[in-house]
Amino acid sequence: MATMATCAISISTLPRNRQRVPSPIFVRTKQSQRRFLLNTGNLEVCNGEGSVEKWRVGVSFFPSFLKKKGKSSEEIKAELLQAIEPLDRGAEATPEDKERIDQIASELEAVNTIKEPLKSDLLNGKWELIYTTSRSILATERPKFLRPNGKIYQAINADTLRAQNMETWPYFNQVTANLVPLSSARVAVRFDTFKILGFIPIKAPGRGKGELEITYLDEKIRVSRGDKGNLFILKMVDPTYRVSL
């Protein structure tokens, strides 16, 4: 009958993982067999003849359920809103602020569940612009008292593919546009009518166009990216609002 030997399996890891090393584990094995049940870093195994064999392994000792869980969309949104709050819609954002906002927005985009936003009813309604990198919208080249200091809104009808941008104090300018689908998430924007001070209509020039991709959508937050590289983050304020045809 084969005799049995008790061997100590000692687990030594690289210095950066040293704090994660468990106590030595004793496994009873037959002389003629070697079984490795737990592996991490450098594994030293005493065989049945009393000698020590060293093995280099790359399998983590720690099970997958102990790994850090990714942030939820609610946690990412809370982080994003907190980062945006002091930036005056982006007008006060430093290059470092912009990089941070873009990174958090990318995290949110990665957990987007609405893959075809142009077909979603969540797109309908009146959205408030809370952050953008667009200098033309923020008018950062003007003195602060000449910028659009009131809230800025964008309304969308998903069924008729109509959009409306609305400034408030002090100019109350508006513009309406047709949205031409380029994919299930991307549209070409064709502006048709400007309203100066909210009531003087002017036909939009032929150059009044662009493209917009909706990269995140839920019932509260929408993230979009434009063809000139600008980022737009909006929050829902009135899901019942409709753009006039």
Side-chain angles (χ1 to χ4, degrees), residues 208-238:
K209 57 185 178 181
E211 292 184 11
L212 195 68
E213 182 176 7
I214 302 167
T215 54
Y216 180 86
L217 177 67
D218 66 19
E219 67 279 2
K220 296 178 181 178
I221 294 291
R222 173 162 60 91
V223 179
S224 300
R225 294 185 184 268
D227 56 327
K228 296 179 176 61
N230 287 313
L231 174 65
F232 305 89
I233 301 173
L234 305 94
K235 68 176 182 179
M236 173 59 72
V237 293
D238 183 1

Side-chain angles (χ1 to χ4, degrees), residues 56-236:
R56 177 74 177 177
V57 295
V59 181
S60 174
F61 170 78
F62 297 93
S64 60
F65 62 80
L66 292 181
K67 294 180 181 178
K68 185 178 179 180
K69 185 179 179 181
K71 290 182 288 188
S72 68
S73 60
E74 293 301 317
E75 291 172 322
I76 300 171
K77 284 192 293 184
E79 183 180 357
L80 182 62
L81 294 175
Q82 183 178 26
I84 286 172
E85 186 176 9
L87 301 181
D88 188 21
R89 253 193 321 254
E92 302 296 330
T94 65
E96 292 76 18
D97 291 327
K98 293 177 183 179
E99 183 177 357
R100 184 186 176 209
I101 298 301
D102 192 274
Q103 181 179 3
I104 301 173
S106 296
E107 292 180 25
L108 192 58
E109 290 165 338
V111 297
N112 179 44
T113 59
I114 308 298
K115 304 303 181 183
E116 297 184 322
L118 294 179
K119 298 179 181 179
S120 174
D121 289 339
L122 294 177
L123 189 58
N124 289 316
K126 187 177 183 180
W127 300 81
E128 180 187 346
L129 180 69
I130 57 175
Y131 177 85
T132 185
T133 57
S134 171
R135 295 178 61 188
S136 62
I137 292 177
L138 296 173
T140 50
E141 73 283 356
R142 303 180 196 167
K144 192 168 184 178
F145 70 93
L146 292 177
R147 299 175 189 173
N149 294 305
K151 294 181 178 181
I152 298 175
Y153 299 103
Q154 183 180 74
I156 294 179
N157 295 356
D159 54 347
T160 61
L161 292 176
R162 288 286 287 169
Q164 180 184 24
N165 294 346
M166 298 164 279
E167 294 180 357
T168 55
W169 179 261
Y171 301 110
F172 298 94
N173 294 328
Q174 298 181 22
V175 61
T176 52
N178 290 315
L179 305 178
V180 182
L182 302 176
S183 71
S184 60
R186 191 176 187 88
V187 295
V189 182
R190 302 286 185 261
F191 297 107
D192 50 37
T193 304
F194 288 95
K195 285 188 178 181
I196 308 302
L197 301 177
F199 64 89
I200 304 173
I202 297 177
K203 185 177 180 180
R207 66 179 182 274
K209 57 185 178 181
E211 292 184 11
L212 195 68
E213 182 176 7
I214 302 167
T215 54
Y216 180 86
L217 177 67
D218 66 19
E219 67 279 2
K220 296 178 181 178
I221 294 291
R222 173 162 60 91
V223 179
S224 300
R225 294 185 184 268
D227 56 327
K228 296 179 176 61
N230 287 313
L231 174 65
F232 305 89
I233 301 173
L234 305 94
K235 68 176 182 179
M236 173 59 72

